Amino acid sequence: MLVILTSLSVSCTNENMEHTEILSSTLPIEKSKKTAKLLQNLNPENPANIYDIAGKIHNDILDVYLTGTYSCNTISQVSQKVDSISILNSDYLNLETHLPIDFQEIQEIIDNPQIKLEQAIANSSMTNGAKISLSNFMASMLLWETNDYAVIHESITTFEASVISNTEFSTEDKRIILTTSSIARYSSYYAIERKDKDWDTSVGNRVGALQGALANSSSAVNKSIVTGLLIQNLQTD
């Protein structure tokens, strides 16, 4: 794995911030209904998860980043650009202020995502039952992600329902798990629906979400996006 330089002095530039809206007012009625039904079936939301907003914000910020063309390659460059996009998102601003990203931690996730996942869960403040539940969920995601999104969504929401109804989990257990699962659910949706955007989910992306969720929702969003983008850069180089 290539070593990513973390120079703070270099900033990336926006080469193309134009957004193209495709509006088809002449679309036949039957086709419009079919398209609307398809989008409804693939909706990534889960209103039962009170931390669902974390996943929505993740996709909104990610979409702005990938719609623009940025020459960001280092951890500091990607982090600074994501920060600049995040502060323009009103939903994000309603969350707790995210903690500064530890560049070394990001690099370690990129180099050894599975090890960092195990360490993050083991060293967390969650109860033992919650740790086992989250560990099993992360392992299951590797199997679910090869399915159609409808299957992925159902699998994740079923898991979330079990977490919500678990009387042995603490409030903090549920906050960490449901924030992480929300971002995983939305990120998977983005990967399937926006393949042309050069985005794919990864273990590192989810580990970033978990590590950030140990602090708060905004850190989960920020860390997940930065880690995922950097891993994507390595895959496309």
Side-chain angles (χ1 to χ4, degrees):
M1 188 72 70
L2 296 176
V3 176
I4 300 179
L5 298 178
T6 58
S7 171
L8 287 169
S9 61
V10 183
S11 61
C12 58
T13 58
N14 179 355
E15 298 171 357
N16 179 14
M17 282 297 291
E18 294 183 3
H19 294 255
T20 304
E21 293 184 356
I22 303 177
L23 302 176
S24 181
S25 58
T26 59
L27 191 68
I29 295 177
E30 288 303 316
K31 186 175 181 181
S32 296
K33 289 181 178 179
K34 184 181 294 185
T35 301
K37 184 177 181 180
L38 175 62
L39 292 175
Q40 182 178 15
N41 290 339
L42 293 178
N43 194 316
E45 296 178 359
N46 180 19
N49 183 344
I50 62 174
Y51 301 99
D52 195 66
I53 190 64
K56 179 184 181 299
I57 295 172
H58 171 281
N59 280 18
D60 288 344
I61 294 174
L62 178 64
D63 192 54
V64 173
Y65 185 100
L66 292 178
T67 298
T69 303
Y70 301 107
S71 56
C72 302
N73 298 305
T74 69
I75 297 176
S76 62
Q77 288 175 350
V78 173
S79 179
Q80 288 168 12
K81 180 52 63 177
V82 170
D83 280 345
S84 69
I85 294 172
S86 298
I87 61 176
L88 299 178
N89 185 293
S90 58
D91 288 329
Y92 183 87
L93 293 178
N94 289 329
L95 299 177
E96 314 91 333
T97 302
H98 82 268
L99 301 177
I101 280 186
D102 184 326
F103 295 162
Q104 182 60 40
E105 277 190 349
I106 296 293
Q107 185 64 63
E108 290 174 356
I109 294 175
I110 294 170
D111 293 339
N112 298 289
Q114 189 58 40
I115 291 178
K116 295 305 294 182
L117 169 62
E118 294 169 0
Q119 290 177 346
I121 294 177
N123 297 330
S124 73
S125 61
M126 293 186 292
T127 60
N128 287 334
K131 290 179 180 181
I132 293 172
S133 177
L134 182 53
S135 180
N136 290 339
F137 169 73
M138 290 297 212
S140 296
M141 280 298 301
L142 296 175
L143 302 176
W144 297 340
E145 63 187 6
T146 60
N147 295 315
D148 292 335
Y149 184 72
V151 176
I152 297 174
H153 184 273
E154 182 178 3
S155 298
I156 296 178
T157 54
T158 297
F159 165 74
E160 291 175 326
S162 71
V163 172
I164 293 169
S165 64
N166 193 312
T167 58
E168 296 183 358
F169 288 175
S170 68
T171 300
E172 184 69 356
D173 289 339
K174 294 181 179 182
R175 183 192 68 77
I176 294 171
I177 296 175
L178 295 175
T179 299
T180 303
S181 64
S182 171
I183 293 176
R185 177 163 33 82
Y186 273 83
S187 184
S188 294
Y189 174 83
Y190 197 96
I192 292 174
E193 288 302 287
R194 305 296 297 273
K195 290 180 180 179
D196 61 315
K197 289 295 185 179
D198 196 26
W199 171 257
D200 198 3
T201 55
S202 67
V203 175
N205 169 254
R206 293 189 286 273
V207 176
L210 167 58
Q211 278 199 347
L214 295 176
N216 55 44
S217 293
S218 60
S219 294
V221 170
N222 189 278
K223 205 163 189 177
S224 177
I225 294 176
V226 171
T227 305
L229 289 171
L230 287 162
I231 290 175
Q232 193 68 27
N233 285 347
L234 290 177
Q235 293 173 343
T236 55
D237 282 346

